[in-house]
Amino acid sequence: MSALISALAKHKEDISKVVEELGPALTHKDVDVRLQGTKFLSDLLRSLPNDLLDPTQLNFIVTFYCDRMKDHHSIAPQVIVGLLAASKMKNLPRTAPVQILQALFAHIPCQSQVRGDRANILSLIQLLSDNYQPELDGMGADFIYGVIQAVEGERDPRNLVFLFEFMPRFISVYSLRHLTEEMFEVFSCYFPIDFHPSPNDPQAITRDALAAKLSVCLCASPEFADFCFALALEKLDSDLSVAKLDSLRLLVSLKISWLIEFH
């Protein structure tokens, strides 16, 4: 692969020609062969300098991968890897994020994937939403609904840390429209956090750390205030001391958010 990367870097080879030469593998009747062909291309993209491909080449790559989403479900993880690599490139066409996310929401249910593949999908959504707000705003409520569908029900603590850190920024930037309550419910279902970390977890994620990050999500929008207040009052009646303490902390966080909002 190093020789191919060098040829691409020196413009002695073109990425569209590479895809064409991979054609027999990418369209093979055997799913495992198609998977290996897609993996080769995705690994190649990950190894290229992020300023090497021009907009026309990246448009070709994005269109190819979006079409691959319709293939066998076992190929989906490598499709996401390839799109994540393409989305990090400097010359990504401004039309590509909408194309990518429309195909993603239509063909790859995030929560049906394994943990690592879900993490890649969430990273792809975060990367595009952070860098292409005007374009994604044009998708309207379909974009917000697609994100909700992708993130709701996540249970892995590592992915939850990522979501709880990323989503307050997302919520503050994008209009939730008529989906405000649905977005709040994505997070309210975790409250209070019920998590017992594994002693063998190298990342050492704690319940208190998750709870603190969740609180930021619940207070991320002024439109969440009524829902958040009702949730905190409801959990104050719990018999569990941890629920009472988390509810009191949430009320404090909510008050601070109000003070900042109206300062």
Side-chain angles (χ1 to χ4, degrees), residues 2-260:
S2 59
L4 179 56
I5 294 171
S6 177
L8 286 165
K10 294 176 182 178
H11 302 287
K12 294 180 179 180
E13 186 65 271
D14 187 273
I15 194 70
S16 60
K17 183 71 180 302
V18 173
V19 175
E20 182 181 335
E21 291 172 350
L22 282 171
L26 296 170
T27 60
H28 200 279
K29 65 179 181 180
D30 189 323
V31 173
D32 288 338
V33 176
R34 298 203 303 276
L35 174 59
Q36 290 306 311
T38 307
K39 183 178 186 303
F40 179 88
L41 181 60
S42 295
D43 287 343
L44 175 63
L45 288 172
R46 292 170 66 189
S47 302
L48 296 178
N50 70 353
D51 60 350
L52 177 62
L53 301 183
D54 63 32
T56 299
Q57 292 171 318
L58 285 168
N59 183 65
F60 173 81
I61 288 295
V62 167
T63 299
F64 167 78
Y65 273 113
C66 287
D67 184 66
R68 289 294 90 193
M69 289 191 201
K70 304 170 189 174
D71 204 338
H72 193 272
H73 64 83
S74 65
I75 295 174
Q78 286 304 318
V79 170
I80 297 303
V81 169
L83 284 171
L84 190 55
S87 296
K88 293 177 180 178
M89 296 190 177
K90 290 184 177 180
N91 296 318
L92 186 72
R94 303 299 298 188
T95 56
V98 171
Q99 183 183 1
I100 291 169
L101 291 178
Q102 284 179 335
L104 176 70
F105 296 153
H107 300 295
I108 302 181
C110 181
Q111 294 304 315
S112 296
Q113 314 305 311
V114 300
R115 188 212 73 82
D117 297 335
R118 297 199 309 275
N120 282 337
I121 292 173
L122 299 177
S123 293
L124 180 60
I125 292 172
Q126 176 262 318
L127 178 67
L128 295 177
S129 63
D130 275 352
N131 294 290
Y132 297 92
Q133 181 194 348
E135 291 76 15
L136 296 180
D137 267 336
M139 291 177 66
D142 288 344
F143 174 51
I144 304 301
Y145 181 75
V147 172
I148 289 173
Q149 290 289 97
V151 306
E152 68 178 348
E154 179 60 56
R155 302 301 300 176
D156 182 83
R158 289 158 292 185
N159 285 350
L160 286 175
V161 166
F162 179 88
L163 278 178
F164 291 170
E165 291 178 346
F166 154 57
M167 288 305 293
R169 185 167 70 253
F170 179 94
I171 292 166
S172 69
V173 168
Y174 289 93
S175 171
L176 301 180
R177 297 175 169 83
H178 63 280
L179 296 170
T180 297
E181 186 171 4
E182 285 83 351
M183 182 65 82
F184 180 80
E185 289 175 353
V186 167
F187 303 104
S188 65
C189 67
Y190 298 106
F191 187 86
I193 287 285
D194 181 17
F195 173 65
H196 304 283
S198 168
N200 300 318
D201 185 358
Q203 294 189 1
I205 298 171
T206 66
R207 195 213 78 90
D208 287 348
L210 275 175
K213 294 177 187 298
L214 173 61
S215 179
V216 177
C217 290
L218 294 171
C219 299
S221 168
E223 295 177 319
F224 286 175
D226 289 344
F227 306 127
C228 191
F229 188 68
L231 176 67
L233 291 182
E234 175 190 346
K235 298 302 181 180
L236 272 175
D237 288 335
S238 172
D239 293 332
L240 298 174
S241 58
V242 68
K244 292 180 181 295
L245 288 172
D246 279 0
S247 296
L248 290 172
R249 294 189 183 105
L250 181 58
L251 287 170
V252 171
S253 297
L254 185 59
K255 181 178 179 181
I256 292 173
S257 298
W258 277 344
L259 289 173
I260 293 174

